[in-house]
Amino acid sequence: MCSSDLFRVPQGRFEDLEGFRAAWRARADLPPIDAAIIGGALADRLGYAFLAGYTSAVRRLVGTPAGTAGAILATEAGGAHPAAIETRLTRGSRGYTLTGEKTWATLAAQADLLLVLAVEGAPVEGRKRLRIVRLAKNSPGVRMQARPPTPFVPEIPHYHVTFDDVAVRDEAILPGDGWSDWIRPFRTDRKSTRLNSSHLVISYAVFCLKKK
């Protein structure tokens, strides 16, 4: 996308988050980084630029198609680092189930897919075995409670999400280690730049440029 294309995108006027999402999705059938740029150009407030950058970064991470929103659910009561994760993926006679809770889930209710960091099995050499589970947000046993708006970008919602014996198909468990293969790459790409931040920064930068 060239700069002349960027300036042909009119900055919108949106009454709420859903209005922005609808307008952005109608234009976002593009590679993730271009979708982040378009979102920054359309946004009429910083939080909407955040949504475009964050959603585009998740798309790049997991390869979901344009128009599909995902949310990363890692943070628990003790934080988002591997030792703090207590949400558990358990294999039983009827297959896998997911149980636990995430205390800070950004844009979870607005996502089509939830990407949940969970512990599977016993520790290996003292380290938890972590996996990423891919779920539809309306899966039976998934409950969401909205958290109070934050002082900074209050238009972006966050949720407390509980998983109560949620059935998980084998193919919904992403391959590899949940932390090193998925959560860490969400923050760092192969060139050691922050993947999430690179999309956010460019969306923010375009938003600020269009505001001038």
Side-chain angles (χ1 to χ4, degrees):
M1 175 173 290
C2 66
S3 59
S4 61
D5 294 329
L6 171 63
F7 282 99
R8 283 197 291 266
V9 178
Q11 191 169 50
R13 301 279 184 186
F14 304 104
E15 293 186 3
D16 56 23
L17 182 71
E18 291 308 312
F20 171 77
R21 290 179 73 229
W24 178 55
R25 281 188 167 191
R27 294 172 173 265
D29 189 13
L30 297 165
I33 196 68
D34 290 335
I37 292 169
I38 288 289
L42 280 174
D44 64 349
R45 63 201 76 179
L46 185 61
Y48 297 166
F50 170 88
L51 181 148
Y54 173 86
T55 304
S56 298
V58 176
R59 267 190 60 206
R60 180 182 167 188
L61 177 70
V62 296
T64 51
T68 301
I72 301 287
L73 278 65
T75 304
E76 301 194 7
H81 51 88
I85 306 306
E86 299 294 339
T87 297
R88 183 160 289 278
L89 178 66
T90 304
R91 186 174 184 87
S93 59
R94 297 184 179 181
Y96 285 99
T97 56
L98 185 71
T99 302
E101 57 187 275
K102 299 296 181 180
T103 57
W104 190 265
T106 300
L107 293 166
Q110 289 70 38
D112 303 299
L113 297 172
L114 307 179
L115 302 163
V116 186
L117 184 64
V119 179
E120 181 189 16
V124 176
E125 297 180 352
R127 300 181 64 181
K128 292 180 177 179
R129 296 173 57 204
L130 298 175
R131 306 297 298 271
I132 290 287
V133 176
R134 179 171 169 164
L135 296 173
K137 70 176 179 183
N138 58 354
S139 298
V142 177
R143 291 183 288 112
M144 298 189 189
Q145 181 178 0
R147 298 183 63 97
T150 61
F152 182 65
V153 290
E155 60 269 21
I156 296 299
H158 308 272
Y159 299 87
H160 186 126
V161 184
T162 303
F163 305 95
D164 186 9
D165 288 330
V166 178
V168 176
R169 302 187 311 274
D170 287 8
E171 60 268 27
I173 304 170
L174 300 190
D177 180 81
W179 183 261
S180 61
D181 293 325
W182 297 99
I183 299 299
R184 186 178 292 158
F186 184 62
R187 299 168 176 175
T188 309
D189 69 14
R190 294 176 184 174
K191 295 181 181 179
S192 298
T193 59
R194 289 172 62 85
L195 172 59
N196 186 25
S197 291
S198 66
H199 288 71
L200 289 176
V201 167
I202 197 164
S203 189
Y204 286 161
V206 171
F207 166 78
C208 293
L209 186 63
K210 292 281 284 189
K211 289 285 281 186
K212 290 185 177 181

